[in-house]
Amino acid sequence: MIDEALEKLKNLGTLGGFGDLVFTVRPWPFKTMTFKDANHSSSVEYAKHKNIGGKPSLEFIAEELDEVSLNIELLSQFMGENPLKTVKILRGYMKDGDVYDLVLGDEVLGEFVITKVDKKYEEIDCFGNVQKMTLSVSFMEYN
């Protein structure tokens, strides 16, 4: 019974993940890597055909690849490690073309790759350590 309760607490606050990274808002043991402003975009492609003396006609071609963007907040005092370590992992995934399931909430969106990582340094202490950083990460569906 206690083991079940501990397992539930481990999963409490889990917002999703990609690869070995888990997005969380856990109050204990003070590990936080949360995201906000998640955008998931789906689209389709149409061909436009000109008609003499009339409006163009549209022809459905196919679905486009889905795109997802997240703003991830990294706080060193809660993570217990330098946020640059997480940036290094994400950039490694991007540069290596690693394909992983992207999970947001309890929904597996499918297999994705990282196409872009932007970082914003928000707080740096007097020793030069990054205390707070925000990342903008772009994902594209892998098909």
Side-chain angles (χ1 to χ4, degrees), residues 58 64 74 76 78 80 83 95 112 121 135 138 140:
L58 291 179
E64 296 283 354
L74 304 174
S76 69
F78 293 119
K95 288 180 179 183
F112 282 77
Y121 297 86
L135 307 177
S138 299
M140 185 174 286

Side-chain angles (χ1 to χ4, degrees), residues 77-133:
Q77 70 264 30
F78 293 119
M79 293 177 64
E81 58 189 41
N82 190 326
L84 294 175
K85 181 179 177 184
T86 302
V87 173
K88 185 176 180 179
I89 292 169
L90 288 167
R91 287 178 52 108
Y93 289 163
M94 180 182 66
K95 288 180 179 183
D96 294 342
D98 292 336
V99 180
Y100 292 109
D101 284 329
L102 179 60
V103 180
L104 298 182
D106 60 356
E107 182 181 8
V108 178
L109 301 179
E111 291 185 326
F112 282 77
V113 294
I114 296 175
T115 58
K116 186 176 183 181
V117 176
D118 288 329
K119 55 187 175 183
K120 179 180 177 184
Y121 297 86
E122 295 193 35
E123 292 179 21
I124 299 175
D125 67 16
C126 62
F127 302 106
N129 299 311
V130 178
Q131 297 299 311
K132 182 178 179 183
M133 176 179 276

